[in-house]
Amino acid sequence: MSDTKTFLITGVSTGLGRALARAALAAGHRVVGTVRTPADVHAFEALAGDAHARILDVTDHDAVDTVVDETERDLGPVDVLVANAGYGHDGLFEESSMDDLRRQFEVNVYGTVAVIKAVLPHMRKRRSGHIIAVTSMGGLITMPGLSFYHGSKFAVEGILETLGKEVAGFGIHVTAVEPGSFRTDWAGRSMIRAPRVIADYDELFEPLRARRIHGSGHQPGDPDKAAAAVLRIVAADQPPTRLLLGTDALRLVQAGRDAFEREMVTWAQLSGPQRGASRRPSSPGRPPLGPPQPDLLVAVHATQRLHRDTDPLGGDGGRIAVLGDWRFGSAIKGARARSTCASPTRERTPRTPPSFCRPRRPGRPTGTSS
């Protein structure tokens, strides 16, 4: 069976979309790329390889269906979809308009969904395919001044994760690619900036906006290395659900997850034991509810799966980081089992106690954290 695939990539005029298209063409794949102008058509089809350009505005959903159907008919089945088209909105929440929010979602969310919905029926009938959408580390973490952009990327993340579960039985893979800071036009011509009108935010936001403007084109990430990483997951038998790209993305997302975990543990009494207390009120002989137990913390830590791989091109500027799903089911199970171990009113059968039933220190009251 040939390893040559047909890619449909939206937004190939510049940036990561262009780098990925070049890499796929160099690897011998056929690439259908969407652009916005006739000049972009000629520039893209002048690239070496089997390159085909189509003019498309992803917010025109009828045009999206037409481009996909024509591609399937004239050039063959789309094996890999990369929904890459999008832009960033730079503006404080209070200073950005509802029209700004609507436009951001029309491109980043509705446009992405429209392309996926157009390709999905073809892939489902073939029982094969790989759907990739370029979201951002900003779909997992937030920074001041990007609330509308973050909202759009968080939305796409949730849609993709759900879609992956719905189509897994059809042999279709779904991956969210989450770049950090790369040398693209994201912070340059591809970004819309809301006017500044509220002085109260100057101290917070002016340095951030200036840093984004002056840093555009000088970001640490290399788009060509990101493209090589995406080709690696396309070739994988079991591609990841998420692919973080860039050491900054790995560091910032991990820091965000750590902060979430600390807050979750801090307020665990309100999240879980409070419900248990309402169902089983304290009574004489029953231990009171106490602070979060260490086994729960261990279970939460154990469910985080973080895998690292080296840069596919051997450099040190673009590491691949695959962040696995966070599953808290085992933590909940452990917490329920602890109540069985700790309850003095329930008799245990003589057997070796499970690992989560740990002996308590003499003299320490039940329910007190160690």
Side-chain angles (χ1 to χ4, degrees), residues 68-121:
V68 170
D69 291 343
E70 289 179 351
T71 297
E72 289 269 340
R73 184 191 66 218
D74 300 336
L75 297 173
V78 174
D79 302 301
V80 181
L81 168 66
V82 182
N84 169 71
Y87 75 96
H89 174 83
D90 177 60
L92 292 158
F93 178 88
E94 194 173 356
E95 292 182 337
S96 300
S97 69
M98 292 302 295
D99 284 340
D100 292 331
L101 178 63
R102 188 174 297 108
R103 285 191 294 269
Q104 181 78 108
F105 271 64
E106 282 177 351
V107 176
N108 290 7
V109 182
Y110 305 146
T112 296
V113 169
V115 176
I116 294 173
K117 286 180 72 67
V119 171
L120 181 57

Side-chain angles (χ1 to χ4, degrees), residues 66-357:
T66 299
V67 166
V68 170
D69 291 343
E70 289 179 351
T71 297
E72 289 269 340
R73 184 191 66 218
D74 300 336
L75 297 173
V78 174
D79 302 301
V80 181
L81 168 66
V82 182
N84 169 71
Y87 75 96
H89 174 83
D90 177 60
L92 292 158
F93 178 88
E94 194 173 356
E95 292 182 337
S96 300
S97 69
M98 292 302 295
D99 284 340
D100 292 331
L101 178 63
R102 188 174 297 108
R103 285 191 294 269
Q104 181 78 108
F105 271 64
E106 282 177 351
V107 176
N108 290 7
V109 182
Y110 305 146
T112 296
V113 169
V115 176
I116 294 173
K117 286 180 72 67
V119 171
L120 181 57
H122 300 283
M123 291 185 172
R124 177 172 48 78
K125 290 177 183 178
R126 291 189 292 270
R127 292 300 196 261
S128 68
H130 194 167
I131 295 170
I132 298 171
V134 179
T135 63
S136 168
M137 66 175 177
L140 299 170
I141 60 170
T142 61
M143 301 175 188
L146 297 172
S147 58
F148 288 3
Y149 175 75
H150 287 310
S152 71
K153 294 302 184 179
F154 269 73
V156 173
E157 288 276 339
I159 290 169
L160 292 176
E161 183 173 320
T162 306
L163 175 63
K165 295 172 182 177
E166 293 174 352
V167 302
F170 305 139
I172 300 172
H173 301 292
V174 180
T175 300
V177 171
E178 297 144 340
S181 298
F182 280 79
R183 294 187 291 277
T184 68
D185 285 334
W186 178 81
R189 72 179 184 89
S190 295
M191 177 166 278
I192 303 297
R193 291 183 165 87
R196 292 298 328 283
V197 293
I198 304 175
D200 283 348
Y201 294 107
D202 287 354
E203 183 177 357
L204 168 70
F205 187 55
E206 284 301 308
L208 294 174
R209 173 168 280 185
R211 188 154 54 245
R212 288 180 189 129
I213 293 173
H214 297 306
S216 180
H218 305 285
Q219 295 94 332
D222 181 352
D224 291 332
K225 291 182 178 181
V230 173
L231 288 186
R232 280 187 62 179
I233 68 167
V234 168
D237 291 333
Q238 294 296 327
T241 302
R242 293 183 173 87
L243 178 70
L244 281 168
L245 292 175
T247 52
D248 60 334
L250 176 60
R251 173 175 52 83
L252 293 171
V253 171
Q254 184 62 63
R257 295 300 195 192
D258 290 344
F260 168 77
E261 183 177 319
R262 288 193 299 271
E263 187 168 81
M264 180 186 68
V265 170
T266 298
W267 294 95
Q269 282 184 285
L270 296 184
S271 301
Q274 192 72 23
R275 294 196 303 271
S278 64
R279 292 195 305 269
R280 296 193 311 165
S282 296
S283 59
R286 183 178 297 281
L289 292 169
Q293 296 295 319
D295 287 339
L296 177 60
L297 312 192
V298 171
V300 171
H301 279 285
T303 56
Q304 178 186 355
R305 296 182 292 121
L306 183 63
H307 306 286
R308 297 190 181 106
D309 197 358
T310 56
D311 187 334
L313 300 186
D316 58 1
R319 302 178 71 182
I320 305 174
V322 180
L323 189 64
D325 294 331
W326 281 45
R327 298 171 298 173
F328 298 106
S330 59
I332 297 170
K333 179 180 178 182
R336 289 174 179 168
R338 168 179 289 283
S339 68
T340 299
C341 300
S343 173
T345 62
R346 183 189 296 268
E347 294 184 3
R348 292 186 54 84
T349 57
R351 58 175 179 151
T352 303
S355 60
F356 49 73
C357 294

